[in-house]
């Protein structure tokens, strides 16, 4: 009896071991197949293309925008002054938008706005790259154009309108020549550059740096704004860019965002309902423009891939179709900016520009 029971148990154990071995083989085959497929293109299903990745009901959004946008825009001075006052009291862009030798002397600990609890001490070498004073402290411009890079600028003919502004802000070193002049103009007062651009386009400025300096000639003697203290990895790149411009005698003036100002902006826009991890460069530069300019005009800020009037497809940028970072929420930002447009605080240009049109 005991022998029979022992045989049954041994038989059951062997069966379980065989099943386990078979199951392991199947699992390994599936995993191995998945590893083989890494990096291979995923077969695409045959279906109609989406209108836009960010928006499930873009046509409804577009129709709503057109209803609001159809009214003739007029600046509402009271609304403008109220919003500017809120920005200034919360963010103080005029006084602290940039790192300077006044607000960040040698030995100061600068805390990164994009990395909690990380900081860097200002050394004499880093200090030498800082502006002496804030460039906007006692200045106000009548008209400012903040130029986004949206595909809505393709064939817009807005170059002359943009260049007519007293102060022109551009984002992320966009191309201005190569036939784009009529659409986006060439005048530049300030242009931003993310450290990632320095890595991707110019090999982190570790080799030949001439290409970087040559490409900046299109921006004349503008300010080059770098977020040197948002993330630790961007500090050395930004300082290296500053040294490069100095070594080559470039008229472009590098300036660094003050992380305290950026953190204040993040908090401000969250209080306005923006839930994105970080505001985009476009909305940050619009915020700065509202503090230093009496009339703020936005171009290239349409975030959808369908033109609001022609209803034809648009590329993501006027010069390529590269998608934006997932840290930003462009449609949500646009809705906030559109509210400011409707309140007469800023003017968003969605229509094509015509000769003599203002």
């Amino acid at each position: 009896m005991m022998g029979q029971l022992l045989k049954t148990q041994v038989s059951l154990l062997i069966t379980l071991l065989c099943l386990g071995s078979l199951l392991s083989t199947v699992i390994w085959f599936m995993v191995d197949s998945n590893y083989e497929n890494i990096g291979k293109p995923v077969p695409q299903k045959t279906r109609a293309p989406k209108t836009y990745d960010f928006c499930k009901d873009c046509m409804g959004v577009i129709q709503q925008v057109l209803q609001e946008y159809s009214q003739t825009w007029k600046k509402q001075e009271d609304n403008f002054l109220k919003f500017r006052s809120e920005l200034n009291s919360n963010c103080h862009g005029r006084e602290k938008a940039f790192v300077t030798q006044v607000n960040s002397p040698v030995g100061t600990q600068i805390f990164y706005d994009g990395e909690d609890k990380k900081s860097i001490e200002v050394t004499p070498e880093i200090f030498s790259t800082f502006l002496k004073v804030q460039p906007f402290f006692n200045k106000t411009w009548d008209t400012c154009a903040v130029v986004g890079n949206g595909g809505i600028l393709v064939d817009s003919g807005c170059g002359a309108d943009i260049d007519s502004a007293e102060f022109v802000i551009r984002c992320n070193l966009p191309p201005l020549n190569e036939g784009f002049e009529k659409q986006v103009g060439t005048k530049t007062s300030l242009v931003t550059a993310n450290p990632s651009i320095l890595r991707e386009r110019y090999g982190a400025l570790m080799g030949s740096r001439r290409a970087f300096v040559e490409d900046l000639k299109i921006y004349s003697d503008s300010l080059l704004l770098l977020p040197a203290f948002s993330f630790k990895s961007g500090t050395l790149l930004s300082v290296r860019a500053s040294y490069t411009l100095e070594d080559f005698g470039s008229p472009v003036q590098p300036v660094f965002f003050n992380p305290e100002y950026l953190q204040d902006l993040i908090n401000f826009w969250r209080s306005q309902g923006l839930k994105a991890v970080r505001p985009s460069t476009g909305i940050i530069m619009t915020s700065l423009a509202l503090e230093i300019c009496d009339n703020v005009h936005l171009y290239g800020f349409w975030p959808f891939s369908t033109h609001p009037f022609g209803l034809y497809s648009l590329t993501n940028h006027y010069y390529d179709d590269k998608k934006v970072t997932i840290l930003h929420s462009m449609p949500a930002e646009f809705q906030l900016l559109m509210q400011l447009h409707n309140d007469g605080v800023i003017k968003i240009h969605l229509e094509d520009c015509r000769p003599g049109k203002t």
Side-chain angles (χ1 to χ4, degrees):
M1 185 72 176
M2 290 296 296
Q4 183 63 34
L5 180 60
L6 182 61
K7 287 182 180 180
T8 301
Q9 291 175 341
V10 170
S11 176
L12 179 60
L13 179 61
I14 292 174
T15 301
L16 291 174
L17 288 174
C18 290
L19 287 173
S21 177
L22 178 61
L23 181 60
S24 297
T25 301
V26 171
I27 293 173
W28 173 252
F29 177 78
M30 293 173 64
V31 172
D32 190 53
S33 297
N34 287 336
Y35 274 109
E36 288 179 357
N37 287 328
I38 291 177
K40 293 183 180 181
V42 179
Q44 299 297 312
K45 296 180 180 179
T46 303
R47 60 183 179 183
K50 292 181 179 180
T51 304
Y52 193 70
D53 292 339
F54 290 129
C55 181
K56 296 179 180 179
D57 184 24
C58 279
M59 294 310 297
V61 172
I62 291 173
Q63 290 173 0
Q64 180 181 353
V65 168
L66 290 179
Q67 289 175 357
E68 298 172 349
Y69 195 80
S70 63
Q71 302 177 6
T72 302
W73 185 87
K74 182 179 179 181
K75 182 181 178 183
Q76 302 296 323
E77 192 68 26
D78 289 345
N79 291 343
F80 171 80
L81 292 175
K82 179 181 178 181
F83 195 81
R84 171 189 269 183
S85 177
E86 290 178 2
L87 264 175
N88 184 259
S89 62
N90 285 278
C91 304
H92 308 285
R94 283 182 175 276
E95 296 83 10
K96 69 174 190 180
F98 308 134
V99 172
T100 68
Q101 293 183 354
V102 175
N103 61 33
S104 302
V106 174
T108 301
Q109 288 290 326
I110 295 181
F111 288 86
Y112 293 91
D113 66 276
E115 296 185 271
D116 290 341
K117 300 180 181 179
K118 287 190 177 181
S119 65
I120 185 171
E121 182 176 323
V122 176
T123 64
E125 292 76 19
I126 295 176
F127 178 79
S128 68
T129 65
F130 294 168
L131 290 174
K132 288 183 171 56
V133 295
Q134 293 289 341
F136 303 147
F137 184 66
N138 289 317
K139 292 184 179 179
T140 300
W141 286 266
D142 179 51
T143 56
C144 283
V146 183
V147 188
N149 297 327
I152 195 171
L153 286 172
V154 174
D155 296 327
S156 66
C158 287
D161 286 44
I162 291 170
D163 284 351
S164 68
E166 280 191 273
F167 198 88
V168 179
I169 300 174
R170 301 184 188 273
C171 304
N172 296 330
L173 298 182
L176 304 181
N177 47 16
E178 304 174 7
F180 296 123
E181 297 91 338
K182 290 184 179 180
Q183 320 312 327
V184 299
T186 58
K187 182 177 181 179
T188 306
S189 309
L190 183 152
V191 61
T192 71
N194 288 330
S196 60
I197 294 176
L198 304 183
R199 281 191 293 268
E200 295 168 7
R201 294 187 192 174
Y202 306 107
L205 300 174
M206 291 296 292
S208 174
R209 302 171 296 165
R210 186 174 297 277
F212 171 63
V213 177
E214 289 294 322
D215 286 350
L216 290 187
K217 285 183 177 180
I218 192 66
Y219 307 116
S220 188
D221 59 350
S222 65
L223 298 173
L224 174 64
L225 181 53
L226 299 156
F229 303 105
S230 286
F231 297 93
K232 203 171 184 67
S233 59
T235 302
L236 182 59
L237 272 172
S238 299
V239 170
R240 193 176 293 148
S242 178
Y243 286 152
T244 298
L245 294 174
E246 180 182 1
D247 290 346
F248 281 82
S250 172
V252 173
Q253 172 67 60
V255 295
F256 300 154
F257 258 135
N258 185 343
E260 289 186 12
Y261 170 70
L262 291 179
Q263 188 58 60
D264 288 342
L265 269 182
I266 290 172
N267 294 335
F268 174 79
W269 283 109
R270 282 177 180 167
S271 73
Q272 302 296 308
L274 184 63
K275 305 301 182 183
V277 177
R278 293 179 68 81
S280 70
T281 301
I283 201 168
I284 290 173
M285 300 319 300
T286 299
S287 304
L288 181 60
L290 280 165
E291 287 203 51
I292 65 174
C293 309
D294 289 334
N295 296 280
V296 179
H297 295 253
L298 270 55
Y299 299 83
F301 272 69
W302 179 249
F304 307 114
S305 64
T306 300
H307 195 283
F309 301 109
L311 299 182
Y312 51 81
S313 296
L314 299 171
T315 54
N316 194 49
H317 301 128
Y318 69 82
Y319 50 85
D320 67 28
D321 200 29
K322 185 178 180 180
K323 302 306 179 186
V324 298
T325 174
I326 59 174
L327 291 177
H328 307 318
S329 179
M330 308 306 285
E333 286 190 358
F334 181 76
Q335 289 181 331
L336 289 173
L337 293 174
M338 194 66 197
Q339 185 60 55
L340 292 179
H341 170 92
N342 294 334
D343 290 342
V345 176
I346 60 175
K347 166 67 174 174
I348 299 178
H349 294 263
L350 298 180
E351 70 283 358
D352 291 343
C353 300
R354 303 298 180 201
K357 184 177 181 181
T358 58

